[in-house]
C-alpha cells in the first residue's frame, strides 16, 4: 500500500471494497508530518495526539465531499491549522514559556549553530520565540521552517497570498532572532 | 537527532541575513513507542465508535427538536391568549373610562346650572324633578356601585343629593 498517490488513496476510499483500510493508509501517510506540525504549535504530545485524531476524524467526515481541488496534502494541513487555532484560542495559554524558562544561553554564542555545543538549547530558545509570535505568524513559520512547505501550498492552507506569507515569514524570523538575543 | 533544512529554505534564511540554525530538531523524540504504528487503527476505531453513537445522538437531537417545537407552540398559544385577553380587558376599561367621562361631564353641567331651570320647561303638574332625573333608590337596587359613585361625585361638587335624587341611600 505504501507509495500510493493521493488520487489512488482517495479512489480506494471512495470506490474500493474496504474504505476503512484506505482511510488507514491515508492516516499512515500523513500522520507524521501532521503530528510534527501540530506538536510544534501546541507543544505537548497529548495535545498534539488529540488534535491529530480530531483532524483525521474531521477528514473522514468530509472526505466524501472532498473534490480534490486543493490536494489532499494541503487540505489536511488546512484542517490541522483550524484545529490548532481553535485549540490555542480555547486554551489561551503559552505553556512552553511558563515551563521551560530555566535555561540560559552563554553570551556571545547565540544563533551560530555550528558553534553550539548543545544545539538543543538553541532549539528551545527558538521554540520559545515561536511561542511568542501571534498565532497566524506562528503557523506561517512552522509550515515554512519546520514543515518545509512551499509558499504556493502554504497559500492554499492558510488562504493567504504568497507575498503576504513571505512577508509574514520574514517578520517571524526577525522576531524569533530578536527574542533569542533578548533572552541571552 | 538533527535534520538539515532543505537548500531553498537555507538560502532564504541567508538572503534574510538570518542566523537561525540551518537544521531542526526531531519533533518525535519523546513520542511514545508504537504511537504511529497504533494510531491509524485507533483513529478508524474511534470513527466507527462515533458512527455507532450517531443514531442515539440523532434521536436525542430529534427529541430536542420536537421539545423545542412544542415549547414554541405553547408560547405562541400563550401569546395569542394573552393578546386576546388584553384586548378585551382594554376594551372594558375604555368603556368604563367613557362612562366615567360622560358622568363627570354630566355632573359638571349639573353643578353649573340651577335645577329649577331644568324643570321649568316641563311646567307644573307634569313631570317632577324626581321623575325627570334618576331614582337613586332604584339604582341602588340595580347598580349599587353606580349609586355609591354618584354619591361621591355629588359630594365632590358640593351638590345636595336631596335636590337631585330621591332615596335615602345617597348621602
Amino acid at each position: 500500500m505504501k507509495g500510493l498517490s493521493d488520487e489512488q488513496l482517495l479512489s480506494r476510499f471512495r470506490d474500493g471494497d474496504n474504505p476503512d483500510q484506505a482511510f488507514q493508509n491515508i492516516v499512515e501517510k500523513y500522520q507524521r508530518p501532521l503530528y510534527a506540525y501540530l506538536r510544534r504549535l501546541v507543544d505537548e504530545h497529548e495535545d498534539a495526539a488529540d488534535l491529530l485524531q480530531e483532524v483525521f476524524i474531521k477528514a473522514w467526515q468530509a472526505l466524501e465531499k472532498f473534490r480534490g481541488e486543493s490536494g489532499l496534502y494541503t487540505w489536511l494541513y488546512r484542517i490541522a491549522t483550524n484545529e490548532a487555532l481553535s485549540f490555542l484560542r480555547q486554551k489561551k495559554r503559552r505553556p512552553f514559556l511558563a515551563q521551560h524558562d530555566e535555561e540560559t544561553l552563554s553570551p556571545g554564542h547565540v544563533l551560530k549553530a555550528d558553534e553550539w555545543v548543545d544545539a538543543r538549547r538553541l532549539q528551545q530558545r527558538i521554540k520559545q520565540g515561536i511561542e511568542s509570535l501571534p498565532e497566524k505568524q506562528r503557523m506561517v513559520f512552522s509550515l515554512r521552517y519546520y514543515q518545509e512547505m512551499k509558499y504556493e501550498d502554504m497559500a492554499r492552507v492558510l488562504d493567504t497570498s504568497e507575498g503576504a506569507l513571505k512577508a509574514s515569514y520574514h517578520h517571524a524570523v526577525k522576531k524569533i532572532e530578536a527574542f533569542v538575543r533578548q533572552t541571552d | 537527532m538533527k535534520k538539515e533544512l532543505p537548500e531553498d529554505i537555507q538560502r532564504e534564511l541567508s538572503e534574510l541575513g538570518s542566523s537561525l540554525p540551518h537544521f531542526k530538531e526531531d519533533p518525535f523524540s519523546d513520542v511514545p513507542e508504537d504511537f504511529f504504528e497504533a494510531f491509524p487503527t485507533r483513529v478508524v476505531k474511534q470513527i466507527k465508535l462515533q458512527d455507532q453513537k450517531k443514531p442515539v445522538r440523532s434521536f436525542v437531537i430529534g427529541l430536542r427538536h420536537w421539545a423545542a417545537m412544542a415549547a414554541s407552540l405553547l408560547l405562541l398559544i400563550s401569546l395569542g391568549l394573552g393578546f386576546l385577553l388584553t384586548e378585551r380587558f382594554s376594551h372594558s376599561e375604555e368603556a368604563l373610562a367613557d362612562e366615567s367621562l360622560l358622568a363627570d361631564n354630566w355632573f359638571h353641567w349639573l353643578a353649573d346650572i340651577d335645577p329649577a331651570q331644568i324643570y321649568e320647561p316641563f311646567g307644573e303638574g307634569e313631570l317632577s324633578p324626581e321623575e325627570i332625573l334618576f331614582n337613586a333608590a332604584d339604582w341602588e337596587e340595580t347598580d349599587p356601585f353606580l349609586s355609591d359613585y354618584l354619591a361621591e361625585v355629588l359630594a365632590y361638587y358640593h351638590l345636595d343629593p336631596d335636590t337631585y335624587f330621591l332615596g335615602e341611600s345617597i348621602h
Side-chain angles (χ1 to χ4, degrees), chain A residues 20 31-32 35 39-40 45 52-53 60 111 113 123 126 144-146 148 151 169-170 173-174 177, chain B residues 3 5-6 9 12 16 18-19 21 23-25 27-28 30-32 36 39-40 42 46-48:
Chain A
D20 291 3
Q31 59 178 347
R32 283 172 187 274
Y35 173 86
R39 181 70 193 273
R40 279 177 174 125
H45 164 74
L52 188 66
Q53 181 168 296
W60 169 280
L111 306 180
Q123 288 294 339
I126 293 169
R144 181 67 181 156
Y145 188 82
Y146 290 118
E148 303 162 11
Y151 283 112
Y169 177 68
H170 294 178
V173 168
K174 295 294 172 195
E177 282 181 348
Chain B
K3 187 194 164 199
L5 291 170
I9 294 175
E12 189 179 26
L16 281 171
S18 167
S19 45
F23 62 89
K24 58 186 179 183
E25 286 288 307
F28 310 115
D30 62 347
V31 174
F36 290 113
F39 186 74
R42 203 179 85 193
Q46 186 64 29
I47 289 165
K48 295 290 157 191

Side-chain angles (χ1 to χ4, degrees), chain A residues 90-154:
Chain A
Q90 271 175 9
K91 288 265 179 175
K92 294 246 178 215
R93 65 190 176 118
R94 292 182 173 180
F96 195 82
L97 280 176
Q99 291 168 11
H100 307 275
D101 208 24
E102 71 285 353
E103 292 185 55
T104 53
L105 297 173
S106 307
H109 281 78
V110 187
L111 306 180
K112 294 283 183 189
D114 52 346
E115 292 176 15
W116 274 85
V117 179
D118 188 358
R120 284 194 69 188
R121 282 188 177 179
L122 177 59
Q123 288 294 339
Q124 285 199 336
R125 286 288 178 231
I126 293 169
K127 227 175 168 186
Q128 289 175 340
I130 296 166
E131 289 287 330
S132 72
L133 296 174
E135 287 165 355
K136 277 272 177 98
Q137 210 166 36
R138 205 185 309 179
M139 280 158 188
V140 171
F141 184 83
S142 294
L143 285 172
R144 181 67 181 156
Y145 188 82
Y146 290 118
Q147 303 309 115
E148 303 162 11
M149 196 179 272
K150 291 175 187 167
Y151 283 112
E152 188 187 347
D153 292 333
M154 284 169 68

